[in-house]
Amino acid sequence: MCGIVGYVGRQSAGPILLEGLQRLEYRGYDSSGIAVIDHDGALAVLKRQGKLRDLEASIERMPSGGVGIGHTRWATHGEPSDRNAHPHASSNGDVIVVQNGIVENYRELKAELHDELELAGRDWQSDTDTEVIPELISRELAVGRSIEDALISALSRLRGANAIAAVSRRHPGRIYAARKGSAGGIVIGYGEGEMFIASDLPALLAHTTTVHHLEDGDIATIDADGVTIQGAEREAFRPTPLQVDLDPVAIARGPYRHFMLKEIHEQPRALSDTIRGRARVDPPSALADDLALRDETLRGIERVLVIGMGTSLHAAMIGRWWIEQIAGVPADFDNASEFRFRAPLLGPSTLVVSVTQSGETIDTLGAMSHVRARWGAPQIAITNVDGSEATRMADASILIRCGPEVGVASTKTFAGSLAALYLLACRLGRARGSLSEADFADALEQLLTAPSLVDRGIGQAARCAEIAQRHNSATNFLVLGRGIEYPLAMEAALKCKELSYVHAEGYAAGEMKHGPIALLDGSFPVIALAPRGPLFDKMMSAIQQVRARRAPVIAVGDEGDDELATMVDDFIGVPPAPPLLTPFALTPVIQLLAYHIALSRGLDIDQPRNLAKTVTVE
Ligand code: M6R
C-alpha cells in the first residue's frame, strides 16, 4: 500500500528519497512524488502518475535541498493521476504532507475549510482526502501555534487511521512525522548528522540499522541531529533507538528473476528458522520459551478462533484443522473483515489467534481490537514483523522468522505461518492434556520434516513451468481439494487470480457437483489436489466426474502414484507426507504453477496490478 520516506541532513535529499521509494515499490502503488526544501525555504514538489521511472524521467533538474519527503500512492480517494499523487501542499504553500491511511471525515473537513479557501481566492488542488491535512495544519500556524501544536490539533480533527510525514517552509531544517491508529508504521532511522524516516524498514536499511518505531499517537520532530517525540500523553522525549539485525542483502533479489521466485525457494530455510528451537522431540516440547501465555491459561482454553485475510486466512483455515485434530480443541476460522463487524459469541476461554504476515493489515487489527474491547479474550498474533501493531495488541506473539518478503504475493510467510500454527496446536494439545506425550513427540517429529517436504516440492519447478505453459491461455481454472487440502485449493486459486489475472475458484471437491460442475467443458482446466490420504477415494470420484465433462485435469498427488497419473492429463508428483503435513508438500507446487502461468503471460509478478503488500485501508 502507500509508502512514505523522508530525509534531513547534509546530502541532497532528492536522490535519497527516490532510492527509498524504489525500496518500497514492492508495496504496490500507482503514482509517486517527492517534496524537497532548501535551507532558504524554497520548495520543489515533483509528482507523477505511474511508476517511479516516470517520476524520475519527468525531473529535469534535481532540486537542491537537504530536507524532503516522498510517497508512493495507491489510490483510494480520487483516481491515480498527477494531481492526486502526494505530496499535497496547503493552499498557501507553507505545509506539505504525505499520508498513508484514510481521512474518513474529509468531506466534512473540506466543507468546513471551503469558505476560508474561497475567501483567499484558492481552491482544492486534488480529489484526495489527504489535502485537508496540510490545510488544517496551516490554519493552526496562521493563528500563531507552534508547528507541533498545529500537528496535534490537525490530527485530532481527523477520523480514521493515518500515518503522515510533513515539511514546512517556515521550518526548513526539519521533517515531522506522526502516527494515529493503525495505518501502518513510521520508522525513524539514525545516521551521522542525518536522519531518515520510512513507512517500512527496508527503505532505511541501505543507510542505517539504528531505528525507532513511532507508537500510536506519537508526533516526531526530526532534524539532522536527532528526533524529539511528543507521545500520546504529550510529554516530549528523545527516544532510545534500537539496533535491528536485518541484512540488506536479504532484501536483494540475488540470482532470481523475481522476488516471488526467490521467496518460494527460501521456504525450507524460513520453515527451519521458524521451527528452530521451538520444536524439540526428546523430551518433547513446543514453543517452550516463546509463548508468553502460561500453560494454566492454555489449559483453560475451550475454543480457538483463528482469523486473517487473504493468504493468511487460508493459513488460518489449515490452523483450525490442526487445532481440532492435534489439540482436540473446538476451533473455527473467520475472515477478519467480517468478524470485526459481527457480534459473535466469544468468552474469556476463547483463544483468538490472528495470522498476519505484515502485522499491519487493517481488518485484522480491527478484529483484534474488537476482541479486546468486547471480550478481553486472550490473543496471539502470528506475524513476520517484530514490533508490528499486531504484536503490540496481542497478549503473546509467534514470530515466523521468514525474513523480509518483498513480492506482493505471500509465499514464504504462508509456510512460516503454517509452521507457527502447527506448533501452537501441539503446545495447546499438550497443555490441555489432550495429546499424550508420545503423540506430542510424534507430531513434533513430523513437523521437523516440513522443510524437506517443501524443498522436494520446489524440485517440481520445471514440471510446473511446462504445465503452466501448456495452460497459459485458459481463462478459468477450478481448483479442487478436500479436507486439509481444501484451504490449499483456495490459496491456489488466489495465487492464480492475483498473479495471472485468470479467473480461478478454489472449491471443496464435494461441493463441485452442487453447482460449479455446470461450468466445465474442454476449455476449463481443473487442478485437483489429491495426495493419498483419508479422502483420496473421494477425490478420485470428483476427478472422474470432471473427466466425464472433458475438462482437462492437472493433478497434484504423491510421487509414484501411477493410478492417478495415468487417469489425468497432467500430473505433478510431490513427496508423500503424513496426512497432517500435506500442506507443506503441496504449497510450493501451487505457488509455482501460478508463478509460471503469470510468467508465460508476461505479467508483473512482484507487483501485480491493483494490489498492495500491506493493506492498511478498508
Ligand atoms: O499481512 P497479512 O498477512 O495480514 O496480509 C493479508 C493479505 O492481504 C495477504 O495475504 C494477501 O492476500 C496476499 N497478497 C496474498 O498473496
Side-chain angles (χ1 to χ4, degrees):
M1 202 123 290
C2 307
I4 290 177
V5 294
Y7 175 78
V8 47
R10 286 183 302 263
Q11 301 187 61
S12 171
I16 294 175
L17 296 173
L18 290 171
E19 180 249 14
L21 290 178
Q22 265 161 18
R23 293 183 192 274
L24 295 181
E25 279 194 293
Y26 72 93
R27 289 170 65 101
Y29 69 106
D30 47 48
S31 51
S32 59
I34 58 171
V36 175
I37 295 190
D38 71 17
H39 50 265
D40 297 324
L43 166 75
V45 178
L46 305 156
K47 42 196 208 168
R48 267 291 174 281
Q49 180 190 348
K51 292 286 176 191
L52 269 173
R53 58 178 174 270
D54 301 313
L55 174 66
E56 286 179 79
S58 75
I59 301 176
E60 283 169 14
R61 205 167 50 83
M62 188 60 80
S64 65
V67 179
I69 53 178
H71 192 259
T72 44
R73 172 177 189 250
W74 188 83
T76 58
H77 295 64
E79 59 175 9
S81 64
D82 291 354
R83 75 192 285 270
N84 288 335
H86 298 209
H88 293 288
S90 57
S91 58
N92 62 7
D94 270 357
V95 180
I96 298 90
V97 167
V98 294
Q99 186 218 184
N100 286 358
I102 289 177
V103 181
E104 290 175 0
N105 55 336
Y106 80 103
R107 275 202 197 85
E108 261 164 57
L109 293 170
K110 277 197 166 177
E112 179 186 317
L113 293 161
H114 177 76
D115 292 349
E116 288 168 39
L117 242 66
E118 202 169 52
L119 218 57
R122 302 177 187 134
D123 200 357
W124 297 108
Q125 298 300 306
S126 77
D127 311 312
T128 67
D129 54 332
T130 301
E131 204 183 345
V132 298
I133 305 175
E135 205 55 45
L136 284 170
I137 299 171
S138 128
R139 187 168 70 169
E140 298 296 327
L141 291 177
V143 297
R145 286 196 206 274
S146 71
I147 187 148
E148 287 83 0
D149 286 347
L151 271 160
I152 292 168
S153 165
L155 286 175
S156 73
R157 299 294 320 281
L158 310 181
R159 228 175 26 238
N162 324 94
I164 69 165
V167 288
S168 164
R169 289 197 310 189
R170 295 189 187 198
H171 305 278
R174 301 180 197 158
I175 46 180
Y176 302 90
R179 220 193 118 187
K180 177 171 167 283
S182 308
I186 296 271
V187 196
I188 297 170
Y190 291 69
E192 291 290 325
E194 57 185 356
M195 296 287 285
F196 308 83
I197 63 166
S199 49
D200 290 62
L201 206 47
L204 298 182
L205 290 177
H207 305 287
T208 179
T209 50
T210 308
V211 303
H212 174 76
H213 292 268
L214 287 195
E215 299 279 345
D216 184 8
D218 282 356
I219 289 175
T221 304
I222 304 145
D223 61 23
D225 299 318
V227 54
T228 304
I229 290 180
Q230 284 194 261
E233 304 305 323
R234 303 289 155 239
E235 75 297 0
F237 66 98
R238 307 274 286 183
T240 310
L242 292 171
Q243 203 58 44
V244 289
D245 63 359
L246 273 177
D247 175 1
V249 178
I251 55 172
R253 196 152 34 85
Y256 295 96
R257 191 158 172 192
H258 296 98
F259 276 107
M260 181 185 175
L261 191 60
K262 175 179 182 242
E263 287 156 5
I264 290 173
H265 280 80
E266 283 173 347
Q267 288 180 113
R269 207 206 59 216
L271 276 172
S272 306
D273 287 352
T274 299
I275 296 168
R276 190 175 3 96
R278 291 166 160 171
R280 283 194 207 99
V281 174
D282 191 16
S285 75
L287 294 172
D289 309 320
D290 287 276
L291 203 57
L293 284 183
R294 299 209 313 241
D295 277 355
E296 279 151 56
T297 314
L298 297 179
R299 259 194 297 280
I301 297 302
E302 285 167 11
R303 188 177 155 225
V304 180
L305 176 65
V306 199
I307 56 176
M309 297 298 294
T311 292
S312 290
L313 175 60
H314 300 147
M317 292 168 75
I318 295 172
R320 188 272 296 256
W321 185 274
W322 283 329
I323 290 163
E324 282 178 345
Q325 300 280 310
I326 299 175
V329 182
D332 285 313
F333 63 86
D334 212 334
N335 173 304
S337 68
E338 287 298 314
F339 168 84
R340 61 185 288 212
F341 295 111
R342 289 198 289 116
L345 302 173
L346 304 190
S349 59
T350 305
L351 174 68
V352 179
V353 182
S354 296
V355 185
T356 166
Q357 64 80 23
S358 63
E360 303 285 353
T361 296
I362 195 153
D363 284 310
T364 308
L365 297 181
M368 292 179 78
S369 86
H370 190 40
V371 170
R372 187 164 63 186
R374 203 174 161 121
W375 300 280
Q379 299 203 59
I380 294 178
I382 293 179
T383 181
N384 196 32
V385 183
D386 198 2
S388 60
E389 191 63 13
T391 61
R392 295 174 215 204
M393 291 178 73
D395 301 291
S397 304
I398 308 175
L399 289 173
I400 57 176
R401 302 180 189 153
C402 292
E405 187 175 70
V406 175
V408 162
S410 300
T411 51
K412 61 178 176 175
T413 56
F414 177 65
S417 300
L418 291 183
L421 285 159
Y422 188 101
L423 282 165
L424 179 63
C426 292
R427 170 79 187 273
L428 199 56
R430 192 59 196 136
R432 288 170 47 84
S434 39
L435 199 57
S436 71
E437 177 145 336
D439 288 346
F440 184 42
D442 189 42
L444 291 167
E445 198 155 15
Q446 288 189 19
L447 179 64
L448 295 176
T449 66
S452 97
L453 289 174
V454 170
D455 197 35
R456 286 169 65 193
I458 293 171
Q460 292 304 310
R463 182 87 183 116
C464 292
E466 179 200 319
I467 293 172
Q469 183 72 38
R470 212 167 20 256
H471 293 281
N472 75 351
S473 59
T475 47
N476 297 288
F477 282 96
L478 183 65
V479 193
L480 299 178
R482 284 205 78 144
I484 201 165
E485 285 95 38
Y486 164 42
L488 282 176
M490 299 190 64
E491 175 61 8
L494 175 64
K495 285 285 164 285
C496 285
K497 281 185 266 219
E498 69 177 333
L499 295 164
S500 335
Y501 317 149
V502 182
H503 171 244
E505 295 296 337
Y507 259 91
E511 181 72 14
M512 181 189 62
K513 53 193 172 295
H514 298 280
I517 198 166
L519 295 167
L520 300 184
D521 61 20
S523 69
F524 203 129
V526 175
I527 302 174
L529 306 181
R532 294 262 167 184
L535 296 170
F536 178 75
D537 290 343
K538 310 249 177 251
M539 272 309 291
M540 287 295 262
S541 310
I543 292 170
Q544 295 287 15
Q545 291 160 19
V546 171
R547 280 168 41 86
R549 274 80 197 172
R550 299 186 191 289
V553 180
I554 303 158
V556 189
D558 286 355
E559 278 163 4
D561 189 338
D562 294 337
E563 184 192 357
L564 177 61
T566 50
M567 201 174 120
V568 298
D569 301 86
D570 291 299
F571 177 75
I572 304 169
V574 295
L580 290 178
L581 277 257
T582 55
F584 293 107
L586 293 167
T587 288
V589 167
I590 61 175
Q591 296 165 343
L592 285 163
L593 275 173
Y595 171 84
H596 283 290
I597 295 171
L599 187 67
S600 63
R601 291 177 160 222
L603 298 172
D604 189 347
I605 289 180
D606 285 330
Q607 293 169 42
R609 69 182 180 204
N610 303 338
L611 289 180
K613 181 73 187 161
T614 308
V615 182
T616 51
V617 293
E618 292 184 49

